[in-house]
Amino acid sequence: MLMNRYQGMVHSQARKAFLSEEEAEDFTQDVFIKAYESLSLFRGEAQFSTWLFQIAKFRLTKVNKKKSHIFTDWSEDVATVADKSKPSVVDILDKEETHLTLHSLIAKLPKSYQLPIRLHYFENKPLKEIANDLNIKLGTIKSHISRGKDLLRKWWSHEIEG
């Protein structure tokens, strides 16, 4: 029902942002999939259409990192409704995607780098404790974390640049 109601509005804006009808349709579908997945985040403090615009704007920002098209029509609508004192759906979705991307990159690291990084950065364990728990020299733990972080930085820059 919601898709039927707002699909035309999202699609007409997508047509302004993309060169082909196929890209506009794909983008429209992507926005509604993300909206469906994030429906539990809708707080009802703004109109559904405004919330949907925020999702579309966020998704388009991701696309625009790879393309040079500019999507401006929704910017003013979103800016006038957005409450700066609370995290917006865009902020929440961005953190969620960042979190998922980071964890997928960590999973690609060699096993000897993964565990020390997870223990130190996600479980806040001191390096000495990690070295004792894993029965590995402290210098080796530091080296594994440093090398793992270097790989993550490299991979992260490739993720962001596309």
Side-chain angles (χ1 to χ4, degrees), residues 12-156:
S12 69
Q13 296 300 318
R15 284 295 296 135
K16 294 176 185 177
F18 295 97
L19 298 175
S20 75
E21 178 66 25
E22 183 178 315
E23 286 178 305
E25 288 175 3
D26 288 347
F27 176 78
T28 301
Q29 184 177 16
D30 182 55
V31 168
F32 279 97
I33 289 170
K34 195 50 135 175
Y36 177 76
E37 293 171 346
S38 305
L39 206 50
S40 64
L41 300 174
F42 179 61
R43 298 185 302 246
E45 296 171 356
Q47 292 181 6
F48 182 83
S49 61
T50 302
W51 181 75
L52 188 61
F53 285 154
Q54 288 180 334
I55 292 173
K57 183 180 177 200
F58 174 77
R59 303 303 296 169
L60 194 67
T61 301
K62 292 277 190 196
V63 171
N64 280 339
K65 288 181 180 176
K66 296 177 185 172
K67 296 186 176 206
S68 62
H69 305 297
I70 299 174
F71 198 69
T72 58
D73 291 343
W74 290 345
S75 300
E76 291 178 10
D77 293 336
V78 172
T80 58
V81 178
D83 180 0
K84 302 298 180 195
S85 65
K86 298 178 185 170
S88 70
V89 69
V90 174
D91 296 332
I92 292 168
L93 290 173
D94 193 30
K95 285 182 182 177
E96 180 182 317
E97 277 197 32
T98 299
H99 178 77
L100 292 173
T101 301
L102 178 60
H103 282 281
S104 71
L105 292 176
I106 290 172
K108 293 178 183 178
L109 287 171
K111 299 291 182 201
S112 60
Y113 299 172
Q114 283 182 32
L115 188 56
I117 286 176
R118 289 184 193 280
L119 291 172
H120 186 62
Y121 291 104
F122 296 99
E123 296 183 22
N124 296 317
K125 286 197 173 191
L127 295 175
K128 275 187 171 181
E129 187 178 329
I130 296 169
N132 288 336
D133 290 350
L134 298 179
N135 197 25
I136 298 173
K137 292 180 183 180
L138 180 60
T140 304
I141 291 295
K142 288 179 180 179
S143 175
H144 286 182
I145 288 175
S146 177
R147 289 177 186 162
K149 284 174 29 181
D150 288 344
L151 282 172
L152 289 172
R153 278 188 206 101
K154 178 181 168 186
W155 294 342
W156 186 265

